Amino acid sequence: MNSTMRANCSGHCDMDDLTTLLEDIRACRHCEKYLPLGPRPIIRAQTSARILLIGQAPGTKVHASGIPWNDASGDRLRLWMGLDRETFYDESRVAIMPMGFCYPGKGQSGDLPPRPECAPLWHDRVMAHLPNLELILLVGSYAIHYYLKSGKKQTLTDSVRNWRDAPSPYLPLPHPSPRNIAWFKRNPWMDNELIPYMKGRVGALLGP
């Protein structure tokens, strides 16, 4: 975790405070009027987590189950990380926080973007309670553009291709959706370079 994040902790990163914060997030109704299925904020975290996943927003399956990445995209993401479901869902090791905590609704081509209120309202407060983070995976364009403002490239492909330039502890990734199969085929460097690096980092942080 970088020095700025550690400083934000300021000695107040105990589990009781995080528990209260997560309760507040799960009770959030800030943008309820925009949510076609109603609010159901999805987040998983404990202060001991060393890896944080920041994705887009829950889909309908996740909204129904309350389990993030519980779909085909999650299967591919776990494969990329080299993790089984048990380890992936061990929130004492892996925290999961989307850009938008609730399902945003359906757009003309897929789901709508994450609600813009969530990240400014909650993300910094959550990260202040995660003092042990060593790797933050930015999954998809919304997370990449929000967190890599100064180093944002023109396209998602450029941002991910230049993953080595991302400031620590960030690592940009494309969304692992089956809809992106063609992108994966057009960019074999991802399988050959980025995924092996990520698996190595994840394995080193979480151990056997």
Side-chain angles (χ1 to χ4, degrees), residues 50-51 78-83 134-135 137 163 171 190-208:
R50 302 188 71 188
I51 296 174
R78 284 183 282 276
L79 184 65
W80 287 351
M81 297 176 70
L83 297 180
E134 298 290 345
L135 179 63
L137 302 179
W163 56 272
L171 185 65
M190 173 140 180
D191 281 335
N192 297 333
E193 302 171 23
L194 176 52
I195 290 178
Y197 169 81
M198 177 169 60
K199 281 185 177 178
R201 286 280 288 136
V202 170
L205 290 173
L206 300 187

Side-chain angles (χ1 to χ4, degrees), residues 4 10 13-14 17 39 46 52 63 91 134 138 151 201-202:
T4 300
S10 300
C13 299
D14 58 86
D17 285 346
Q46 289 187 20
L52 171 64
H63 177 88
E91 59 194 281
E134 298 290 345
L138 304 175
R201 286 280 288 136
V202 170

Side-chain angles (χ1 to χ4, degrees), residues 1-39:
M1 188 177 185
N2 62 37
S3 58
T4 300
M5 291 179 182
R6 291 188 194 280
N8 287 342
C9 186
S10 300
H12 298 293
C13 299
D14 58 86
M15 189 59 193
D16 288 340
D17 285 346
L18 178 58
T19 298
T20 300
L21 178 59
L22 295 179
E23 289 174 353
D24 290 343
I25 291 172
R26 290 170 180 144
C28 179
R29 300 295 182 267
H30 186 77
C31 53
E32 182 173 10
K33 64 182 178 180
Y34 302 110
L35 304 174
L37 300 184

Side-chain angles (χ1 to χ4, degrees), residues 163-181:
W163 56 272
R164 294 180 180 85
D165 296 334
S168 179
Y170 300 112
L171 185 65
L173 298 171
H175 196 281
S177 168
R179 295 178 181 177
N180 289 334
I181 291 295

Side-chain angles (χ1 to χ4, degrees), residues 95-116:
I96 300 175
M97 178 175 66
M99 289 298 298
F101 291 96
C102 298
Y103 171 65
K106 187 67 66 177
Q108 292 184 347
S109 58
D111 292 340
L112 290 170
R115 291 298 313 170

Side-chain angles (χ1 to χ4, degrees), residues 5-191:
M5 291 179 182
R6 291 188 194 280
N8 287 342
C9 186
S10 300
H12 298 293
C13 299
D14 58 86
M15 189 59 193
D16 288 340
D17 285 346
L18 178 58
T19 298
T20 300
L21 178 59
L22 295 179
E23 289 174 353
D24 290 343
I25 291 172
R26 290 170 180 144
C28 179
R29 300 295 182 267
H30 186 77
C31 53
E32 182 173 10
K33 64 182 178 180
Y34 302 110
L35 304 174
L37 300 184
R40 190 179 189 185
I42 304 295
I43 183 171
R44 298 170 64 90
Q46 289 187 20
T47 56
S48 56
R50 302 188 71 188
I51 296 174
L52 171 64
L53 304 180
I54 303 180
Q56 304 188 161
T60 54
K61 291 183 179 179
V62 174
H63 177 88
S65 69
I67 304 173
W69 296 103
N70 189 32
D71 52 19
S73 296
D75 292 340
R76 177 171 283 108
L77 180 58
R78 284 183 282 276
L79 184 65
W80 287 351
M81 297 176 70
L83 297 180
D84 57 25
R85 286 180 65 90
E86 180 180 1
T87 306
F88 182 84
Y89 287 116
D90 180 355
E91 59 194 281
S92 69
R93 306 167 83 185
V94 179
I96 300 175
M97 178 175 66
M99 289 298 298
F101 291 96
C102 298
Y103 171 65
K106 187 67 66 177
Q108 292 184 347
S109 58
D111 292 340
L112 290 170
R115 291 298 313 170
E117 298 90 344
C118 291
L121 186 62
W122 296 113
H123 276 206
D124 284 351
R125 295 171 66 185
V126 172
M127 287 192 186
H129 293 284
L130 301 177
N132 297 299
L133 290 180
E134 298 290 345
L135 179 63
I136 300 177
L137 302 179
L138 304 175
V139 187
S141 60
Y142 298 106
I144 291 171
H145 292 171
Y146 188 84
Y147 278 97
L148 300 185
K149 296 180 181 72
S150 61
K152 187 174 75 172
K153 307 299 178 180
Q154 184 175 2
T155 67
L156 178 137
T157 299
D158 288 337
S159 296
V160 179
R161 189 189 297 274
N162 290 283
W163 56 272
R164 294 180 180 85
D165 296 334
S168 179
Y170 300 112
L171 185 65
L173 298 171
H175 196 281
S177 168
R179 295 178 181 177
N180 289 334
I181 291 295
W183 188 95
F184 304 143
K185 291 181 178 178
R186 290 195 306 269
N187 296 278
W189 50 265
M190 173 140 180
D191 281 335

